[in-house]
Amino acid sequence: MPKKENKTLKAAPQTGVHAPLAERMRPHTTDDIIGQKSLLGPNGFVRQMVESGRLSNLLLWGPPGCGKTTIARALANTTDMEFVPTSAVFIGTADIKKIMETAKMNRELGRGTLLFIDEIHRFNKTQQDTLLPYLENGTVVFVGATTENPSFELNNALLSRCHIGVLSPLGSEDLLELLDRAEKFIGKEMPLSRDARTHLCQMADGDARFLLNTVEYLSGANFNKALSPDELDKAIQKRAPMSDKSGDEHYNLISAVHKSLRASDTDAALYWTARMMTAGQDPMYLFRRLTRFAMEDIGLADPNAMQIALSAWQVYERMGSPEGDLALTELVIYLGTAPKSNANYRAQNFAYSAAEKYGSLTPPKNILNAPTRMMKEMGYGAGYVYEHDTASGFSGQNCFPESMRRQTFYCPKEIGFEREIKKRLDYWNKLRKQS
């Protein structure tokens, strides 16, 4: 594959010689930005806004180091707008109003203002509502950045006034290009073997800032030879795979574990589980979710699944990590290779729905106990058939309320142990009809 041409970058404004390399190398225009082709490519809607000269309010959603701040600054530079960067952590409603007053004066002088608010998801509803009239009348062009799903964290009024741009982690080719560009920028080749260059990009895990910070460290260190991947690991702090343990990425990963197991893609389930564990996920959370999976997605297709889940959980509690990690791996493999059935889960939902629909119906008298003479005289227990006194061990008597027609909640599948259960139920239904 031909090597991409590297551009000579202009240093971003408001940076000094002591600023981090990531800041000094920040692209000046949207043409200089690496990656994010879905937004900045020929058909990207951000590219279309730049070429039309009319910027709209934007919410940039993506992981750390993917270019959210860079895009906002480049948009201001490209359109010659006043760039006002801030963070939702540091400002309140009073600060917003001061910024807007300055923006109004700029507008009277013929210059627009681009207000960039990082971590916009940290704004409460009142702070978000404060922005609305200024976005409505065009006092500023607003660009917000967030690592959290905006549909969860921001109110609908703000969402409706913004285009949402979804940014992806930078790919390996993008990061290799950025590494080449950084070496030209500082005028020094990194002490890395070819494999170590690729390994560094893998370690960066899509985060340009991590890569540039590592380059800055390596450029100042005194290594007398090109480092191998293993030597690079020892020289720098490894970056854990992305998983915030509680936010959007956390739920993405546990969803990937569940869906992989449900699809019986055991290897994929092992990978996503490893991603969560290497990111520092609490193993107890995983065991709880996997035990639920054993009940919800396997059920009686393999009655041992729940017991295996509980046993693996107990082994980990007794042994801890790293010895107990193997119990988690064994559980994932067992669940991934087990037959799947949600008949148990569906039966619960159907039964609960019927209980709500039919209300407080009384059980039929034949299956009620009659501990007193009065209750016997009232018909409690009348007509009850003791199952063990029948030839087949099955009487077929009705146990539903008398005013409620018979229901079928549990429908086992022709899978695993449920195949045997289905044969048994079919036989009993046959006897019930005969009786």
Side-chain angles (χ1 to χ4, degrees):
M1 183 176 178
K3 190 175 181 180
K4 295 180 181 178
E5 179 183 355
N6 287 307
K7 297 182 179 181
T8 301
L9 291 182
K10 298 178 182 178
Q14 299 178 346
T15 61
V17 293
H18 298 297
L21 178 63
E23 185 65 29
R24 287 183 283 131
M25 277 189 62
R26 195 182 295 279
H28 188 71
T29 69
T30 52
D31 289 331
D32 296 329
I33 296 175
I34 293 174
Q36 309 306 340
K37 300 302 182 187
S38 63
L39 301 181
L40 302 173
N43 297 318
F45 76 86
V46 175
R47 168 68 59 190
Q48 298 294 327
M49 285 196 299
V50 171
E51 292 181 352
S52 69
R54 295 181 62 84
L55 299 186
S56 300
N57 300 315
L58 275 175
L59 287 172
L60 299 176
W61 170 31
C66 67
K68 299 184 291 295
T69 304
T70 296
I71 289 176
R73 188 183 293 275
L75 284 175
N77 292 334
T78 303
T79 55
D80 195 29
M81 300 182 76
E82 183 76 21
F83 183 63
V84 180
T86 187
S87 170
V89 176
F90 301 119
I91 66 170
T93 53
D95 301 299
I96 294 173
K97 291 176 181 178
K98 289 179 182 178
I99 291 171
M100 295 306 174
E101 289 300 318
T102 302
K104 287 179 182 178
M105 290 188 287
N106 285 339
R107 189 171 59 174
E108 291 174 0
L109 296 173
R111 192 176 191 205
T113 300
L114 190 150
L115 171 62
F116 173 69
I117 302 182
D118 198 10
E119 299 190 82
I120 185 63
H121 59 274
R122 295 182 181 273
F123 263 5
N124 59 34
K125 185 180 184 302
T126 300
Q127 291 170 311
Q128 292 178 40
D129 288 344
T130 302
L131 290 170
L132 300 181
Y134 303 109
L135 272 58
E136 196 72 39
N137 62 27
T139 301
V140 296
V141 170
F142 165 69
V143 178
T146 177
T147 57
E148 305 292 332
N149 189 326
S151 63
F152 294 158
E153 305 296 337
L154 303 178
N155 62 44
N156 289 333
L158 182 57
L159 288 173
S160 67
R161 289 165 173 79
C162 300
H163 290 286
I164 298 177
V166 181
L167 284 74
S168 303
L170 296 182
S172 295
E173 288 187 8
D174 294 329
L175 291 169
L176 283 170
E177 181 182 353
L178 182 60
L179 177 55
D180 291 340
R181 186 181 288 189
E183 289 175 325
K184 289 194 172 184
F185 186 87
I186 62 179
K188 183 178 181 180
E189 187 173 337
M190 293 300 101
L192 299 171
S193 68
R194 183 174 181 177
D195 288 343
R197 294 173 73 85
T198 302
H199 184 58
L200 174 58
C201 294
Q202 292 171 341
M203 291 174 65
D205 197 22
D207 187 339
R209 188 180 298 109
F210 174 89
L211 184 137
L212 292 176
N213 287 344
T214 303
V215 167
E216 188 164 27
Y217 162 71
L218 292 173
S219 67
N222 295 317
F223 296 105
N224 55 16
K225 65 171 185 174
L227 301 177
S228 67
D230 289 341
E231 290 168 335
L232 178 61
D233 283 341
K234 295 176 183 178
I236 64 175
Q237 180 69 39
K238 292 187 70 173
R239 184 182 191 274
M242 184 174 62
S243 175
D244 53 15
K245 302 186 193 177
S246 60
D248 199 55
E249 186 63 18
H250 163 82
Y251 293 109
N252 287 343
L253 292 180
I254 194 61
S255 176
V257 172
H258 269 241
K259 301 293 173 49
S260 299
L261 287 173
R262 188 175 292 154
S264 297
D265 192 341
T266 307
D267 293 320
L270 286 168
Y271 168 74
W272 294 119
T273 302
R275 278 281 304 275
M276 297 190 77
M277 287 293 286
T278 55
Q281 178 63 59
D282 181 4
M284 297 299 105
Y285 172 81
L286 277 166
F287 278 112
R288 183 171 66 84
R289 294 299 297 259
L290 293 174
T291 302
R292 170 172 177 158
F293 180 89
M295 296 183 291
E296 182 177 325
D297 286 276
I298 296 175
L300 292 174
D302 183 351
N304 289 325
M306 185 165 60
Q307 292 304 317
I308 294 291
L310 291 172
S311 295
W313 195 342
Q314 187 177 49
V315 166
Y316 188 90
E317 287 180 328
R318 290 189 176 187
M319 298 186 69
S321 185
E323 293 87 350
D325 293 350
L326 196 57
L328 177 63
T329 299
E330 183 175 320
L331 175 58
V332 171
I333 293 172
Y334 190 94
L335 299 181
T337 55
K340 308 299 188 298
S341 173
N342 68 341
N344 175 26
Y345 181 66
R346 288 168 60 84
Q348 174 185 283
N349 290 339
F350 290 149
Y352 274 61
S353 296
E356 293 178 1
K357 177 180 178 181
Y358 290 97
S360 303
L361 298 180
T362 304
K365 289 183 178 180
N366 63 299
I367 62 170
L368 296 180
N369 290 330
T372 68
R373 178 184 297 178
M374 184 188 75
M375 296 174 74
K376 289 180 180 178
E377 292 173 352
M378 293 176 64
Y380 281 49
Y384 174 68
V385 179
Y386 187 55
E387 308 294 328
H388 301 295
D389 289 342
T390 64
S392 64
F394 179 81
S395 69
Q397 63 190 321
N398 179 49
C399 297
F400 274 91
E402 294 176 359
S403 60
M404 177 181 172
R405 67 178 178 82
R406 181 167 190 81
Q407 306 282 317
T408 300
F409 301 132
Y410 178 53
C411 299
K413 299 181 178 181
E414 293 274 2
I415 297 172
F417 182 70
E418 282 197 330
R419 183 181 291 111
E420 300 302 317
I421 297 176
K422 188 176 188 304
K423 290 179 183 178
R424 200 175 302 158
L425 292 177
D426 289 343
Y427 173 67
W428 286 338
N429 284 330
K430 180 181 176 181
L431 293 180
R432 185 177 285 113
K433 289 177 181 179
Q434 291 175 352
S435 66

